Amino acid sequence: MPVVVVESPAKAKTIEKYLGGDYRVLASFGHVRDLPPKDGSVDPDHEFDMKWEVAADSRKHLKAIKDALKDDQNLILATDPDREGEAISWHLLEALAPALKKGAEVNRVTFNAITKAAVTEAMARPRQIDQPLVDAYLARRALDYLVGFKLSPVLWRKLPGAKSAGRVQSVCLRLIVDREMEIEAFKAREYWSVHARLATPGGDEYDATLVSLAGKRLERFDLATAEQAAMAVSAVASRELKVASVAAKPASRNPWPPFMTSTLQQEASRKLGMGAKACMSAAQRLYEAGLITYMRTDGIDMAPEAVMAARDAIKAKFGENYLPKSPRMYKNKAKNAQEAHECIRPTDMMMSTDRLKLNADDQRKLYDLIWKRTIASQMEAARMERTTVEIASPDNQVGLRATGQVMLFDGFLRVYDQGRDDDEGEDSARLPVIAEGEAARLVAKSFEAEMAKAREKGGEAISAPAGQRGAPGMLADDGARVAARQHFTQAPPRYTEATLVKRMEELGIGRPSTYASIVTTIQDREYVLKDKNRLIPEDKGRLVTIFLLKYFPRYVSYDFTADLENELDEISAGDRLWREVLGRFWKDFSKALEGTSELRITEVLDAIDEALAPHLYPPRADGGDPRECPLCGQGRLNLKTARSGGAFIGCTNYPKCRYTRPLSAPDGEQPLGDRVLGEDAGDPISLKTGRFGPYVQRGEATEENPKPPRASIPKGWDAAALELEKAVQLLALPRPIGPHPEDGVLVEAGIGRFGPYVKHGSKYANIADVDEVFTIGMNRAVEVLASKQTRGRAAAAAPLREMGDHPDGGAIQVMSGRYGPYVKWEKVNATLPRDVTPEDLTLDQALELITAKAAKSPKKAAKKPAAKKAAAKPAAAKTAKAKAKAKAKPAAKAAKPKAAPKE
């Protein structure tokens, strides 16, 4: 029977079910070949010849495919329908070539969804491997290899602690570093806005904002100070107001197009808090289960039959009012038509989430997002009415505006509304019925509650002139009818994974299949820290970026990277030759590499130090030299790196002066400098800041005592407010509590790597409060230790079903797991197929699953049949003899360490 090869076993199982017994479907488990991770795998001197290597894990998968081809030489390559999938098919064909006889039939099929109809149709329309797509893959792989294996060693030699560079990775990192430097350079600017609560003659209230003063339209910064704001408040409060005009205009909002890869990652981040990697992993499982179409795509168009299915679903679920007269068509924005596929959509439009049998919560939530976006994309527009009311004084010296919005028909918004990265400030307030020419009365005490809240928050109240009152950040007239609010411009926000992917897409950097891996890589390299969903550059990432900008500016240029992506797209379209593109790139890149060969580390550090000077040495309040050492007053501050890769600021007067501080401090705070807290027992006790944060030190380092006693400041303590008494207590840790009442062994309290603890001999028990370390007594310590000893593991989860006993002994149970239900026997855990529920599982099926799982991982087999016990006796005797022989060996020889693995 013909041999069909796909990437994953889950996909293979689903496709085999659709094709029936006439085909044999096997999995390659992804790429079977790759470039060896060593220099020379791509040879620029010989037309970029590549040396491929079959991965160790892939040999057994290739063997299984070769064995299957012995019976039938009809090979069908059914890997994913994109450039990467085409490359896997090409690699498979190259690796299987020796096993294929003359006349063997090899075909390539692709399908955008793993459904019976899509698979059957694809099998009826086979084709050959698309060589331009393969060429584009080869060009990308060679480029990424050359940048990684040629540029990374330069980083290792010239910038201690740097880990790697990448063609797109480094540009992505630059985006984050550039944004952080924008934030650091940002200077907040003050401005004020003035508001009034007005009432119609009938008593209905509404809010209005001052938009003109003294006959002039107000711009954002026209009211820049509290004094100007106070004058504006007086101007409004002292005048009668009338409605000058009322304008109501119809408006509509059209739905967003269906998802492509980048927009799915952005929405999953905004709404579900899923990172790009987690999003694509969940989407992959949904695709392999046949629930959604292919998830790596830059297309937003939908197949005609899918559009009609979506319209049928809308009509059935929401009624004809929500169905537009004609289908909505979305223009494909793909860079290259050959790599564009259908949008990401459900394969069955009627399959809403409530009808779906999915145990994995992340897959359920992601499917719900995809289904709603797809259905909404074909729904009627939302219709609303936007009203603008202009209010003015009779002398036209004061003008206010009230805006509101009324939803007339929710349309697609009934199903889906796109999330936002930051507040876009859309006004959706409701307005009462307002007539042109009617009086607009100021409402007394309208801002009393807001003023009270401002005072409760604390802070310095704004100084108010006569007839007005001030609160922190606010001013109001005595009647609290008109108020002014203080504002400050905000720095640009740090990137989230969603906004970073969006920005990369806007710049044309990377492609849908690469976004998740790029964002993950820069975090794994410790170049970027993810905190509260925001991406913050680490010092190491900042140094790498500045180094590349200084010595390789072209290769971290946004335009250059985007242009190169376009050239790669042209290769996949057959419009360029991949070796020519590589040749032009390598010619200039190799020259740039040669230009750094003579660089010394000190030169590199000096160049980076100069480039980062505005960030590292901000102007001092007293106007002094920002590089002057604040501790000794003689040395100058400059950039230093440690072998660990950390960077810090140190004094040139080292080792006489040991002043250090980190490159940056959280939230824009100025890093702490060294200071002496006082003396204890004749030793100066100092507060210092090192590469790993603030710490206290007893005495000073000398040649005789290069490492004086030190103690890190515990988390939660304010280093700036630290006093001598607390510092001495820290340096005295661990603190002896006394001998244990049962065995007399000393009990101590201290702060370790995992927080505060009490210790009895070799036994540790954590305590919750750091401050308790200095006060805990014996009774409490014994209680904590006893609690740790008696506290076992959490109670095991109850099984979903008890299936009975295994023939070899031991109960078989069905358990609930993170990735769905599974069968458990001894140490063997076998996942249930997606089409089998715990309630329908039979004992025979359970035994088959256990046998198959144990065969794949024989180390997990729990025990052998009882019949073989007698045969095990000689082996047991042999083991006992071996143990006795081992005991007789010299201790030194027995303790010989194993050789460290090669890197």
Coordinates of all heavy atoms in Angstrom, one line a residue, residues 135-206:
D135 N 14.1 26.4 -2.3 CA 15.2 27.4 -2.4 C 15.1 28.5 -1.4 O 16.2 28.9 -0.8 CB 15.3 27.9 -3.9 CG 15.7 26.9 -4.9 OD1 16.2 25.8 -4.5 OD2 15.5 27.2 -6.1
A136 N 13.9 29.0 -1.2 CA 13.7 30.1 -0.2 C 14.1 29.5 1.2 O 14.7 30.3 2.0 CB 12.3 30.6 -0.2
Y137 N 13.7 28.3 1.5 CA 14.1 27.7 2.8 C 15.6 27.6 2.9 O 16.2 27.9 3.9 CB 13.4 26.3 2.9 CG 14.2 25.4 3.9 CD1 13.9 25.6 5.3 CD2 15.1 24.4 3.4 CE1 14.6 24.7 6.2 CE2 15.7 23.6 4.3 CZ 15.5 23.8 5.7 OH 16.2 23.0 6.6
L138 N 16.3 27.1 1.8 CA 17.7 26.9 1.8 C 18.4 28.3 2.1 O 19.4 28.4 2.8 CB 18.2 26.3 0.5 CG 17.8 24.8 0.3 CD1 18.1 24.4 -1.1 CD2 18.4 23.9 1.3
A139 N 17.9 29.3 1.4 CA 18.5 30.6 1.6 C 18.4 31.1 3.0 O 19.3 31.6 3.6 CB 17.9 31.6 0.6
R140 N 17.2 31.0 3.6 CA 16.9 31.4 5.0 C 17.8 30.6 5.9 O 18.4 31.2 6.8 CB 15.5 31.2 5.4 CG 14.5 32.2 4.8 CD 13.1 31.9 5.2 NE 12.2 32.9 4.6 CZ 11.9 34.1 5.2 NH1 12.4 34.4 6.3 NH2 11.1 34.9 4.5
R141 N 17.8 29.3 5.7 CA 18.6 28.4 6.6 C 20.1 28.8 6.6 O 20.8 28.8 7.6 CB 18.4 27.0 6.3 CG 19.0 26.0 7.3 CD 18.2 26.1 8.6 NE 18.8 25.4 9.7 CZ 19.7 25.9 10.5 NH1 20.0 27.2 10.4 NH2 20.3 25.2 11.4
A142 N 20.6 29.0 5.4 CA 22.0 29.4 5.2 C 22.3 30.8 5.8 O 23.3 31.0 6.5 CB 22.4 29.4 3.7
L143 N 21.4 31.7 5.6 CA 21.6 33.1 6.2 C 21.6 33.0 7.7 O 22.5 33.6 8.3 CB 20.5 34.0 5.7 CG 20.6 34.6 4.3 CD1 19.3 35.3 3.9 CD2 21.8 35.6 4.3
D144 N 20.6 32.3 8.2 CA 20.6 32.2 9.7 C 21.8 31.5 10.3 O 22.3 31.9 11.3 CB 19.3 31.5 10.1 CG 18.0 32.3 9.8 OD1 18.2 33.5 9.6 OD2 16.9 31.7 9.7
Y145 N 22.2 30.5 9.6 CA 23.4 29.8 10.0 C 24.7 30.7 10.0 O 25.4 30.8 10.9 CB 23.7 28.5 9.1 CG 25.0 27.9 9.4 CD1 25.1 26.9 10.4 CD2 26.2 28.2 8.8 CE1 26.3 26.3 10.7 CE2 27.4 27.6 9.0 CZ 27.4 26.7 10.0 OH 28.6 26.1 10.3
L146 N 24.9 31.4 8.8 CA 26.1 32.2 8.7 C 26.1 33.3 9.7 O 27.1 33.6 10.3 CB 26.1 32.8 7.2 CG 26.4 31.8 6.1 CD1 26.2 32.4 4.8 CD2 27.8 31.2 6.3
V147 N 24.9 34.0 9.9 CA 24.9 35.1 10.9 C 25.2 34.5 12.3 O 26.0 35.0 13.0 CB 23.5 35.8 10.9 CG1 23.4 36.8 12.0 CG2 23.4 36.5 9.5
G148 N 24.5 33.4 12.6 CA 24.6 32.8 13.9 C 26.0 32.3 14.2 O 26.6 32.6 15.3
F149 N 26.6 31.5 13.3 CA 27.9 30.9 13.5 C 29.1 31.7 13.2 O 30.2 31.4 13.5 CB 28.0 29.6 12.7 CG 27.4 28.4 13.5 CD1 26.0 28.2 13.4 CD2 28.2 27.6 14.3 CE1 25.4 27.1 14.1 CE2 27.6 26.6 15.0 CZ 26.2 26.3 14.9
K150 N 28.9 32.9 12.5 CA 30.0 33.8 12.3 C 30.0 35.0 13.2 O 31.0 35.5 13.6 CB 30.0 34.3 10.8 CG 30.1 33.1 9.8 CD 31.4 32.4 9.9 CE 31.6 31.3 8.9 NZ 32.8 30.6 9.0
L151 N 28.8 35.5 13.5 CA 28.7 36.6 14.4 C 28.7 36.3 15.8 O 29.3 37.0 16.6 CB 27.4 37.4 14.0 CG 27.2 38.8 14.6 CD1 28.4 39.7 14.4 CD2 25.9 39.4 14.1
S152 N 28.1 35.2 16.2 CA 28.1 34.8 17.7 C 29.5 34.7 18.2 O 29.8 35.2 19.3 CB 27.3 33.5 17.9 OG 25.9 33.8 17.6
P153 N 30.5 34.0 17.5 CA 31.8 33.9 18.1 C 32.5 35.3 18.3 O 33.3 35.5 19.2 CB 32.6 33.1 17.1 CG 31.5 32.3 16.4 CD 30.3 33.2 16.3
V154 N 32.2 36.3 17.4 CA 32.7 37.6 17.6 C 32.2 38.2 18.9 O 32.9 38.8 19.7 CB 32.3 38.5 16.4 CG1 32.7 40.0 16.7 CG2 32.9 38.0 15.1
L155 N 30.9 38.0 19.2 CA 30.3 38.4 20.5 C 31.0 37.7 21.6 O 31.3 38.4 22.6 CB 28.8 38.1 20.5 CG 27.9 39.1 19.8 CD1 26.4 38.5 19.8 CD2 27.9 40.4 20.4
W156 N 31.2 36.4 21.6 CA 31.8 35.7 22.7 C 33.2 36.2 23.0 O 33.6 36.4 24.2 CB 31.9 34.2 22.4 CG 30.6 33.5 22.1 CD1 29.4 33.9 22.4 CD2 30.4 32.4 21.3 NE1 28.4 33.1 22.0 CE2 29.0 32.1 21.2 CE3 31.3 31.5 20.6 CZ2 28.5 31.0 20.5 CZ3 30.8 30.4 19.9 CH2 29.4 30.2 19.9
R157 N 34.0 36.6 21.9 CA 35.3 37.0 22.1 C 35.4 38.5 22.6 O 36.3 38.8 23.4 CB 36.1 36.8 20.8 CG 36.4 35.4 20.4 CD 37.4 35.3 19.3 NE 37.0 36.0 18.1 CZ 36.4 35.4 17.1 NH1 36.0 34.1 17.2 NH2 36.0 36.0 16.0
K158 N 34.6 39.3 22.0 CA 34.7 40.7 22.3 C 33.8 41.2 23.4 O 34.0 42.3 23.9 CB 34.3 41.5 21.0 CG 35.1 41.0 19.8 CD 36.6 41.1 19.9 CE 37.3 40.6 18.6 NZ 38.8 40.6 18.8
L159 N 32.7 40.5 23.8 CA 31.8 40.9 24.8 C 31.5 39.8 25.7 O 30.6 39.0 25.5 CB 30.5 41.4 24.1 CG 29.5 42.3 24.9 CD1 30.2 43.6 25.3 CD2 28.3 42.5 24.1
P160 N 32.2 39.6 26.8 CA 32.1 38.5 27.7 C 30.6 38.4 28.2 O 30.0 39.4 28.5 CB 33.0 38.8 28.9 CG 34.0 39.8 28.3 CD 33.3 40.5 27.2
G161 N 30.1 37.1 28.2 CA 28.8 36.9 28.7 C 27.7 36.9 27.6 O 26.6 36.4 27.8
A162 N 28.0 37.4 26.4 CA 27.0 37.4 25.3 C 26.9 36.0 24.8 O 27.8 35.2 24.8 CB 27.5 38.3 24.2
K163 N 25.7 35.6 24.4 CA 25.4 34.2 24.1 C 25.3 34.0 22.6 O 25.8 33.0 22.1 CB 24.1 33.8 24.8 CG 24.3 33.7 26.3 CD 23.1 33.0 27.0 CE 23.3 32.9 28.5 NZ 22.2 32.2 29.2
S164 N 24.5 34.8 21.9 CA 24.4 34.6 20.5 C 23.8 35.8 19.8 O 23.3 36.7 20.4 CB 23.4 33.4 20.3 OG 22.1 33.8 20.6
A165 N 23.9 35.8 18.5 CA 23.2 36.8 17.6 C 22.5 36.1 16.6 O 22.7 34.9 16.3 CB 24.3 37.7 17.0
G166 N 21.5 36.7 16.0 CA 20.7 36.1 14.9 C 20.2 37.1 13.9 O 20.1 38.3 14.3
R167 N 20.0 36.7 12.7 CA 19.6 37.6 11.7 C 18.3 38.4 12.0 O 18.3 39.6 11.8 CB 19.4 36.8 10.4 CG 19.1 37.7 9.2 CD 18.9 36.8 7.9 NE 17.8 35.9 8.0 CZ 16.6 36.2 7.7 NH1 16.2 37.4 7.3 NH2 15.6 35.3 7.9
V168 N 17.3 37.7 12.5 CA 16.1 38.4 12.9 C 16.0 38.6 14.4 O 15.5 39.6 14.9 CB 14.8 37.6 12.4 CG1 13.5 38.4 12.7 CG2 14.9 37.4 10.9
Q169 N 16.5 37.7 15.1 CA 16.6 37.8 16.6 C 17.2 39.0 17.1 O 16.6 39.7 18.0 CB 17.3 36.6 17.1 CG 17.8 36.7 18.6 CD 18.9 35.7 18.9 OE1 18.9 34.6 18.4 NE2 19.8 36.1 19.7
S170 N 18.3 39.4 16.5 CA 19.0 40.6 17.0 C 18.2 41.9 16.7 O 18.3 42.9 17.4 CB 20.4 40.7 16.4 OG 21.2 39.6 16.8
V171 N 17.5 41.9 15.5 CA 16.7 43.1 15.2 C 15.5 43.2 16.1 O 15.1 44.3 16.5 CB 16.3 43.0 13.7 CG1 15.5 44.2 13.3 CG2 17.5 42.8 12.8
C172 N 14.9 42.0 16.4 CA 13.8 42.0 17.4 C 14.3 42.6 18.7 O 13.6 43.4 19.3 CB 13.3 40.6 17.5 SG 12.0 40.4 18.7
L173 N 15.4 42.1 19.2 CA 16.0 42.6 20.4 C 16.2 44.1 20.4 O 16.0 44.9 21.3 CB 17.3 41.9 20.7 CG 18.1 42.4 22.0 CD1 17.2 42.2 23.2 CD2 19.4 41.6 22.1
R174 N 16.7 44.6 19.2 CA 16.9 46.1 19.1 C 15.6 46.9 19.3 O 15.6 47.9 19.9 CB 17.5 46.4 17.7 CG 17.8 47.8 17.5 CD 18.1 48.2 16.1 NE 18.1 49.7 15.9 CZ 18.2 50.3 14.8 NH1 18.4 49.7 13.7 NH2 18.2 51.6 14.8
L175 N 14.5 46.3 18.7 CA 13.2 47.0 18.9 C 12.9 47.2 20.4 O 12.5 48.3 20.8 CB 12.1 46.1 18.3 CG 11.8 46.3 16.8 CD1 10.9 45.2 16.4 CD2 11.3 47.6 16.5
I176 N 13.2 46.2 21.2 CA 12.9 46.3 22.6 C 13.8 47.3 23.3 O 13.4 48.1 24.2 CB 13.0 44.9 23.3 CG1 11.9 44.0 22.6 CG2 12.8 44.9 24.8 CD1 12.0 42.5 23.0
V177 N 15.1 47.2 23.0 CA 16.1 48.1 23.6 C 15.8 49.5 23.1 O 15.9 50.5 24.0 CB 17.5 47.7 23.2 CG1 18.6 48.7 23.6 CG2 17.9 46.3 23.8
D178 N 15.5 49.8 21.9 CA 15.2 51.1 21.4 C 14.0 51.7 22.2 O 14.0 52.9 22.6 CB 14.9 51.1 19.9 CG 16.2 51.1 19.1 OD1 17.3 51.1 19.6 OD2 16.1 50.9 17.8
R179 N 13.0 50.9 22.4 CA 11.8 51.3 23.1 C 12.2 51.7 24.6 O 11.7 52.7 25.1 CB 10.7 50.3 23.1 CG 9.5 50.6 23.9 CD 8.8 51.9 23.5 NE 8.4 52.0 22.2 CZ 7.2 51.5 21.7 NH1 6.3 51.0 22.5 NH2 6.9 51.7 20.4
E180 N 13.0 50.9 25.2 CA 13.4 51.2 26.6 C 14.2 52.5 26.7 O 14.0 53.2 27.6 CB 14.3 50.0 27.1 CG 14.5 50.0 28.6 CD 13.2 49.7 29.4 OE1 12.3 49.2 28.8 OE2 13.2 50.0 30.6
M181 N 15.1 52.7 25.7 CA 15.8 54.0 25.7 C 14.9 55.2 25.4 O 15.2 56.3 25.9 CB 17.0 53.9 24.7 CG 18.0 52.8 25.0 SD 19.4 52.7 23.9 CE 20.4 54.0 24.5
E182 N 13.9 55.0 24.6 CA 12.9 56.1 24.4 C 12.2 56.4 25.8 O 12.0 57.5 26.1 CB 11.8 55.6 23.5 CG 12.1 55.7 22.0 CD 10.9 55.2 21.2 OE1 9.9 55.8 21.3 OE2 11.1 54.3 20.4
I183 N 11.9 55.3 26.5 CA 11.2 55.5 27.8 C 12.2 56.3 28.8 O 11.7 57.2 29.5 CB 10.8 54.1 28.4 CG1 9.7 53.5 27.5 CG2 10.3 54.3 29.9 CD1 9.4 52.1 27.9
E184 N 13.4 55.9 28.8 CA 14.4 56.5 29.7 C 14.7 58.0 29.3 O 14.9 58.8 30.2 CB 15.7 55.7 29.7 CG 15.6 54.4 30.4 CD 16.8 53.4 30.0 OE1 17.6 53.8 29.2 OE2 16.8 52.3 30.6
A185 N 14.6 58.3 28.0 CA 14.9 59.6 27.6 C 13.6 60.5 27.7 O 13.7 61.7 27.5 CB 15.4 59.6 26.1
F186 N 12.5 59.9 28.0 CA 11.2 60.6 28.0 C 11.2 61.6 29.1 O 11.5 61.3 30.3 CB 10.1 59.6 28.1 CG 8.7 60.3 28.2 CD1 8.1 60.8 27.0 CD2 8.1 60.4 29.4 CE1 6.9 61.4 27.1 CE2 6.9 61.0 29.5 CZ 6.2 61.5 28.4
K187 N 10.7 62.8 28.9 CA 10.5 63.8 29.9 C 9.0 64.2 29.9 O 8.4 64.6 28.9 CB 11.3 65.1 29.6 CG 12.8 64.9 29.5 CD 13.4 64.5 30.8 CE 14.9 64.3 30.7 NZ 15.5 63.8 31.9
A188 N 8.4 63.9 31.1 CA 6.9 64.1 31.2 C 6.6 65.6 31.1 O 7.4 66.5 31.6 CB 6.4 63.6 32.5
R189 N 5.5 65.9 30.4 CA 5.1 67.3 30.3 C 3.7 67.5 30.9 O 2.8 66.7 30.6 CB 5.0 67.6 28.8 CG 4.8 69.1 28.5 CD 5.0 69.4 27.0 NE 4.7 70.8 26.7 CZ 4.6 71.2 25.4 NH1 4.9 70.4 24.4 NH2 4.3 72.5 25.2
E190 N 3.5 68.5 31.7 CA 2.3 68.8 32.4 C 1.3 69.5 31.5 O 1.6 70.3 30.6 CB 2.6 69.7 33.6 CG 1.3 70.0 34.4 CD 1.6 70.9 35.6 OE1 2.8 71.4 35.7 OE2 0.7 71.2 36.4
Y191 N 0.0 69.1 31.6 CA -1.1 69.8 31.0 C -2.4 69.6 31.8 O -2.5 68.7 32.6 CB -1.3 69.4 29.5 CG -1.7 68.0 29.3 CD1 -3.1 67.7 29.1 CD2 -0.8 66.9 29.3 CE1 -3.5 66.4 28.9 CE2 -1.3 65.6 29.1 CZ -2.6 65.4 28.9 OH -3.0 64.1 28.7
W192 N -3.4 70.5 31.6 CA -4.6 70.4 32.3 C -5.8 70.4 31.4 O -5.8 70.9 30.3 CB -4.7 71.7 33.2 CG -3.8 71.7 34.4 CD1 -2.4 71.9 34.3 CD2 -4.1 71.4 35.8 NE1 -1.9 71.8 35.6 CE2 -2.9 71.5 36.5 CE3 -5.3 71.1 36.4 CZ2 -2.9 71.4 37.9 CZ3 -5.2 71.0 37.8 CH2 -4.0 71.1 38.5
S193 N -6.9 69.7 31.9 CA -8.2 69.8 31.2 C -9.2 70.3 32.1 O -9.2 70.0 33.3 CB -8.5 68.4 30.6 OG -8.6 67.4 31.7
V194 N -10.2 70.9 31.6 CA -11.3 71.5 32.4 C -12.6 70.9 32.0 O -13.0 70.7 30.8 CB -11.3 73.1 32.2 CG1 -12.5 73.7 33.0 CG2 -10.0 73.7 32.7
H195 N -13.4 70.5 33.1 CA -14.7 69.8 32.9 C -15.8 70.4 33.7 O -15.6 71.0 34.7 CB -14.5 68.3 33.3 CG -13.3 67.7 32.6 ND1 -13.4 67.0 31.4 CD2 -12.0 67.6 33.1 CE1 -12.2 66.6 31.1 NE2 -11.3 67.0 32.1
A196 N -17.0 70.3 33.2 CA -18.2 70.8 33.9 C -19.3 69.8 33.8 O -19.4 69.0 32.8 CB -18.6 72.1 33.2
R197 N -20.1 69.8 34.9 CA -21.3 68.9 34.9 C -22.5 69.9 34.6 O -22.7 70.8 35.4 CB -21.5 68.2 36.2 CG -22.8 67.4 36.4 CD -22.8 66.2 35.5 NE -21.6 65.3 35.7 CZ -21.5 64.5 36.8 NH1 -22.4 64.4 37.7 NH2 -20.4 63.7 36.9
L198 N -23.2 69.6 33.5 CA -24.3 70.5 33.1 C -25.6 69.7 33.2 O -25.7 68.5 33.2 CB -24.1 70.9 31.7 CG -22.7 71.6 31.4 CD1 -22.6 71.9 29.9 CD2 -22.7 73.0 32.1
A199 N -26.7 70.5 33.2 CA -28.1 70.0 33.3 C -29.0 70.6 32.3 O -28.9 71.8 32.1 CB -28.6 70.1 34.7
T200 N -29.9 69.8 31.7 CA -30.9 70.4 30.8 C -32.0 71.1 31.7 O -32.0 70.9 32.9 CB -31.5 69.2 30.0 OG1 -32.2 68.4 30.9 CG2 -30.5 68.5 29.3
P201 N -32.9 71.8 31.0 CA -34.0 72.4 31.8 C -34.8 71.4 32.5 O -35.5 71.7 33.5 CB -34.8 73.2 30.7 CG -33.7 73.5 29.7 CD -32.8 72.4 29.6
G202 N -34.8 70.2 32.0 CA -35.6 69.1 32.6 C -34.9 68.4 33.7 O -35.4 67.5 34.4
G203 N -33.6 68.8 34.0 CA -32.9 68.2 35.1 C -32.0 67.1 34.7 O -31.3 66.5 35.6
D204 N -31.9 66.6 33.5 CA -31.0 65.6 33.1 C -29.6 66.1 33.0 O -29.3 67.1 32.4 CB -31.4 65.0 31.7 CG -32.8 64.3 31.8 OD1 -33.1 63.6 32.8 OD2 -33.6 64.5 30.8
E205 N -28.6 65.3 33.6 CA -27.3 65.8 33.7 C -26.4 65.1 32.6 O -26.6 64.0 32.2 CB -26.7 65.5 35.1 CG -27.4 66.3 36.2 CD -26.8 66.0 37.6 OE1 -25.8 65.3 37.6 OE2 -27.4 66.5 38.5
Y206 N -25.3 65.9 32.2 CA -24.3 65.3 31.3 C -23.0 66.1 31.5 O -23.0 67.2 32.1 CB -24.8 65.5 29.8 CG -25.2 66.9 29.4 CD1 -24.3 67.7 28.7 CD2 -26.4 67.4 29.7 CE1 -24.6 68.9 28.3 CE2 -26.7 68.7 29.3 CZ -25.8 69.5 28.6 OH -26.1 70.7 28.2

